[in-house]
Amino acid sequence: MSEGIDIRLEALTNPATARAPAPVLTASTAAEGISPRGTFFLETFGCQMNEHDSEKVAGVLLARGYQQVETPEAASLILYNTCSIREKAAQKVFSRLGVYRDLLGKEQRIGVLGCVAQQEGEAIFARAPWVSLVCGSASYRHLPQMLAQLEAGEQRVTGLDNDTDETFETEVTRRDNPWRAYITIIEGCDKACAYCVVPFTRGPERSRDSGRILAELRKLADAGFTEVQFLGQTVNSYLDPSPRKMRFSALLSAAAEVQGIRRVRFTTSHPRDFTSDIVEAIEAHPAICNHVHLPVQSGSTRVLRAMQRTYSRSEYLEKIAMIRGAKRPSAITTDIIVGFPGETAAEFDETLSLLDQVKYEGVFSFKYSPRPNTPAAAMPGAVPELEQSRRLALLQERQRAIQIDALRKLAGQMFEVHVDGKSKKENQWYGHSSCNRVVSFHSPATELLGQYVAVRVTGCTPNSLIGDHLQ
Ligand code: SAM
Ligand code: SF4
């Protein structure tokens, strides 16, 4: 059996130095005195929010006395935190469950968490009767009770609430990324994009109390984290439920002022709620990262309307002009869906022309995938798979040319890089700039992980900058 992950509070780094890996926080103290109940293996599919949910789920289990192990074979409880944003992701989960059916030992239990759990519900038990737990993300706060039911020998435990107004608060969160800590500030989604399952799988929007968010942030800073990322499906739709009624921009500014915090990121922003005060906060606080992820989905106003995205091409472009026109401009990245039902070749061309106009620093692009219960799944005009692939390839090719051109122009410029990795190649390191560009660089220094260093750009690859450490 592999060893459980060691998570000692006393191993936390000094925030003033920010050198050693900050500290995977921690449950051992919370679990002190509790005898181990078993071991768990947790695999995560999907987005950053899922990754962070898994950190919180791991915190709950560790606090309860479970130990985390690195292989499913070694675990008494195997958990899959799933994603159903596109069909392929959901299929992957069922094929994984199939693999484990035959390997599952008598004492082992298996649980499905996250979006597929919420979407499929109890049908999972019918399709995979060897599963014992099905729990959607809106029910994670009941995990301790559900674990108790499993421990008591119950064979079918479910958590499928969807109409909660509570958020998932945990005493302890196990932190997997030693350089960047994630904080969910808003859960669920109240938008109703015609293609999207998130409102069904993650429930309505619930924002966390700003006081609790800032308290968690101070704890992270005390533990040695210098970079934090606020998360939410529509992070900038944040509505403080506390009497302080802090605006999202004020929350960013307050976070930037927490001692020890050098970088505050946030994702994903919805264009409709992206207001000038956010740009002003970025201008006023160097610690707020100058990177905005602002998914557009399509360059055609007709398609945007069909998608129920609540803005037109020109309204979106006004937001871009506001960000680009700031005294401290930000890098802008986006998400695009190609082949939405009814998207004509001319409408797809409008998306290509939007790329030329905005010149995004990065694009995540997807073929439209019909999802259960969504209005788009019943729309006529399906774009054939082959045509979707052709459009995706064209879009990626266009974006690649735009990116290379922009990255080449950065030669000679200096970036502050938060170092988060060392390459196998000698004297080669990498990290991220404030604007979230990946920068790999040469340095003879012996230890740089977690440090902020100045790098002069000397070249690029299609997706990253190359440079030298300025010492
Ligand atoms: N809330 C974010 C927003 O509105 O931009 C993004 C949420 S989703 C996890 C991430 C991306 O997946 C979306 O921006 C969209 O481009 C893509 N996506 C969502 N549903 C999809 C679908 N049915 N087919 C293809 N791509 C999809
Ligand atoms: Fe899905 Fe739209 Fe909500 Fe984003 S804003 S999570 S795409 S419904």
Side-chain angles (χ1 to χ4, degrees), residues 85 189-193 195-199 233-234 270 297 309:
I85 197 83
C189 182
D190 279 351
K191 314 288 185 288
C193 303
Y195 50 80
C196 186
V197 282
V198 169
Q233 290 296 343
T234 53
H270 192 282
Q297 313 300 358
R309 280 295 286 183

Side-chain angles (χ1 to χ4, degrees), residues 85-86 195 233 295 297 309 335 337 366-367 369 371:
I85 197 83
R86 282 168 290 280
Y195 50 80
Q233 290 296 343
Q297 313 300 358
R309 280 295 286 183
D335 293 346
I337 297 176
F366 312 99
K367 291 190 254 184
S369 161
R371 306 310 298 125

Side-chain angles (χ1 to χ4, degrees), residues 124-178:
I124 292 180
F125 294 135
R127 200 165 156 184
W130 54 97
V131 169
S132 302
L133 169 71
V134 172
C135 174
S137 66
S139 305
Y140 287 158
R141 67 195 190 290
H142 299 314
L143 264 178
Q145 296 94 297
M146 287 188 257
L147 289 170
Q149 286 171 270
L150 280 180
E151 287 155 12
E154 280 187 41
Q155 293 301 321
R156 293 268 185 275
V157 178
T158 49
L160 295 167
D161 295 1
N162 208 356
D163 55 353
T164 177
D165 55 3
E166 291 174 52
T167 51
F168 178 33
E169 303 283 341
T170 53
E171 284 299 310
V172 273
T173 298
R174 195 175 66 76
R175 301 281 170 183
D176 290 331
N177 184 333

Side-chain angles (χ1 to χ4, degrees), residues 321-354:
M322 177 174 79
I323 300 166
R324 294 277 194 232
K327 288 197 282 290
R328 182 175 172 234
S330 292
I332 306 174
T333 54
T334 201
D335 293 346
I336 289 175
I337 297 176
V338 301
F340 186 75
E343 183 191 69
T344 63
E347 285 164 347
F348 171 66
D349 283 345
E350 289 186 70
T351 300
L352 293 181
S353 80
L354 187 87

